[in-house]
Structure formats: structure tokens, C-alpha cells
Amino acid sequence: MNRRKRLTFWGADENDDSLPRSVMEGRKTVTADTVDDYAAGYGEFGDGGYQPGDLIEVYDLKKRLRCLIKATKVYTIEFGNVPDEVWRGEGFLSAKEFQDCHVRCMPHLTLHDKFELVTLHFELVEIIARDI
């Protein structure tokens, strides 16, 4: 690959840029996905398989480059045992709030206590486009 890796944060619709904004504001420093989905790419704006040290371009749902992040840690957690650094890094007030949101966002899955998620921890490197 002759370019940086890419990631798109999903929202309610194509106008929902709340997650990229949260990253740019420093409130979101973690994201989580299923083991299978984390490893798989999802098109031109989502490479998947991010590893510590990767510089990653973050796009909104309109495919606009918003910021650059650097992956710092990647590890697997169980849905029933969400570490503080994960739910706080996702911007939630508790592990329960993290779990409730992920149940709503992944209705096609049965998220039980032993279900594994991969967490990507990152730091903001550069804001490209704050207000679009």
C-alpha cells in the first residue's frame, strides 16, 4: 500500500460527523469492533487490521478527510468485562453505557459476556478539517 491507512467512523446518517468531531476534540481515543470486522477492510475508506504505530487518516461519512491519528494499542476484550480505559476512551460514562450503545449499533449480533471485541486505541496527530 502506497498510502496511509484509512478509517471511517460510522454515524446515524451521512450528515452525522459526531464521531470524527469527538476524535478531533480529544474526547474519543478508542474504538471497538468485532474480531472478524476489525481484521477485514470495508472499501476505499476503511482498511481494517490497524496496528500500533499506524498513521491513519480519518474520514467522515461524506468521504472527507477530517484528521490524522496514530494507533497506540490494539487488544481484545470481552463484552462483559469492558476496561475503564476502553469505555472512557469511547466517550461513555460507564461500561454499561458502552455495552448498551454497542447492542443498539450491532443488532445483527448476540453480544454476550464472552463475545470478543478488538479495541483500537489512538492519539490525535493532526486536525485536517475541523469545520466543513
Side-chain angles (χ1 to χ4, degrees):
M1 182 177 350
N2 293 333
R3 61 167 173 75
R4 291 183 179 129
K5 289 193 173 184
R6 295 175 176 175
L7 180 147
T8 301
F9 286 109
W10 302 103
D13 59 46
E14 73 175 26
N15 294 312
D16 181 0
D17 68 348
S18 60
L19 293 179
R21 285 186 181 279
S22 186
V23 171
M24 292 184 293
E25 294 164 359
R27 291 182 288 119
K28 182 173 180 63
T29 59
V30 176
T31 192
D33 206 344
T34 68
V35 172
D36 290 341
D37 287 345
Y38 186 84
Y42 50 93
E44 183 181 355
F45 295 93
D47 293 308
Y50 311 102
Q51 295 298 316
D54 286 347
L55 287 176
I56 305 165
E57 295 176 346
V58 175
Y59 290 82
D60 64 19
L61 292 174
K62 290 186 176 180
K63 300 177 183 166
R64 300 176 298 197
L65 178 59
R66 301 301 295 274
C67 62
L68 182 65
I69 59 175
K70 181 178 181 179
T72 57
K73 294 189 280 189
V74 175
Y75 59 87
T76 304
I77 65 168
E78 290 184 345
F79 189 69
N81 186 24
V82 182
D84 288 3
E85 75 171 344
V86 171
W87 59 261
R88 289 181 194 280
E90 279 258 32
F92 294 107
L93 299 175
S94 68
K96 173 108 172 72
E97 186 180 21
F98 170 97
Q99 292 163 329
D100 291 347
C101 178
H102 284 78
V103 166
R104 283 190 311 276
C105 293
M106 300 176 177
H108 58 291
L109 299 173
T110 303
L111 299 176
H112 53 82
D113 283 353
K114 296 293 183 186
F115 191 95
E116 290 188 326
L117 296 172
V118 178
T119 62
L120 167 63
H121 300 249
F122 53 85
E123 57 189 31
L124 179 65
V125 173
E126 180 183 357
I127 295 172
I128 308 294
R130 184 180 304 273
D131 297 312
I132 296 180

